Amino acid sequence: MMSAFDDLMAGYRRFRKAGWAGQRSRWAELSQGQAPRVMVIACSDSRVDPAQIFDVSPGEIFVVRNVANLVPPFEPDTARHGVSAALEFAVTQLEVAEIVVMGHGACGGVAAALTRRFEGAAPGAGGFIAHWIDLLDDARDRVIAAHGTGPEAVRALELEAVRVSLANLRTFPPIAAREAAGKLTLRGAYFAIADGMLHVLGADGQFVAG
């Protein structure tokens, strides 16, 4: 029986024969450096691959994925900040023109934030997850007050997660400065897995199917 890694290697061999060979000149160009114009912040969920959803070629988007597509606020301390480091690199080094925060339906991280499933767990047994998704605590309280805790609340909090991340992005001085100068645009999106529809956050704060 083939292992999961065997399946990956089979996929790699298909890629070498078709994907890489078919874009050899593109890969040669990319070996000299990258210049993506867009950064996408998405969930680690295996069902929501930004490259697949946006149908982009290698080198077009700079991607960061984590549980519930969250961005923490700017925290200038000595802790290790993976998302913040990626943002800093994308904005100050690659100078991307746009940042897209993409949430999605059936998000386990958001569901856990709503139910506080991992509250009180030790690190390694859910504690890391709990401390990460508590970024949504304030939004959770608003959602529960308006929608209760059913399916409607889950979707509402999935949308709120995008808004929370966008607000936190603006706490980073380089991002705020570039947005104010018209050099950087922040966008929100939401991919509904069940129907394959992408919803885009408009200027009015509402999500509309793209």
Side-chain angles (χ1 to χ4, degrees):
M1 179 182 294
M2 292 180 64
S3 71
F5 186 69
D6 290 333
D7 290 339
L8 293 181
M9 290 304 296
Y12 158 70
R13 294 184 184 100
R14 292 192 299 271
F15 160 73
R16 278 285 296 175
K17 289 181 179 178
W20 185 84
Q23 297 190 68
R24 190 167 299 184
S25 61
R26 174 64 172 165
W27 286 106
E29 178 185 344
L30 289 173
S31 71
Q32 304 304 307
Q34 62 171 325
R37 298 178 60 242
V38 180
M39 177 183 193
V40 179
I41 300 166
C43 186
S44 298
D45 194 298
S46 61
R47 300 165 292 180
V48 287
D49 178 6
Q52 184 178 34
I53 292 168
F54 292 115
D55 191 24
V56 294
S57 296
E60 288 190 50
I61 58 175
F62 185 79
V63 180
V64 169
R65 300 179 70 176
N66 63 56
V67 174
N69 40 267
L70 291 172
V71 174
F74 180 68
E75 296 172 312
D77 56 33
T78 57
R80 291 182 171 88
H81 298 286
V83 174
S84 301
L87 284 169
E88 189 172 68
F89 187 79
V91 172
T92 69
Q93 304 304 303
L94 297 176
E95 298 185 333
V96 296
E98 302 191 55
I99 298 177
V100 179
V101 178
M102 185 180 74
H104 71 94
C107 182
V110 169
L114 187 69
T115 63
R116 289 186 169 158
R117 173 185 171 188
F118 298 106
E119 188 173 30
F128 289 130
I129 300 171
H131 186 46
W132 179 248
I133 59 178
D134 67 16
L135 287 164
L136 293 176
D137 277 357
D138 289 345
R140 172 189 181 275
D141 292 343
R142 294 194 299 273
V143 165
I144 289 177
H147 303 286
T149 58
E152 184 180 353
V154 175
R155 182 179 173 90
L157 191 55
E158 288 167 349
L159 300 178
E160 278 299 297
V162 175
R163 297 186 180 101
V164 167
S165 287
L166 288 169
N168 285 344
L169 280 172
R170 293 185 169 101
T171 66
F172 287 76
I175 291 175
R178 283 170 169 76
E179 184 181 32
K183 297 179 179 179
L184 179 64
T185 301
L186 306 185
R187 302 187 187 277
Y190 175 87
F191 180 69
I193 294 175
D195 60 15
M197 292 292 293
L198 186 75
H199 302 254
V200 178
L201 183 63
D204 62 355
Q206 301 303 309
F207 286 83
V208 178

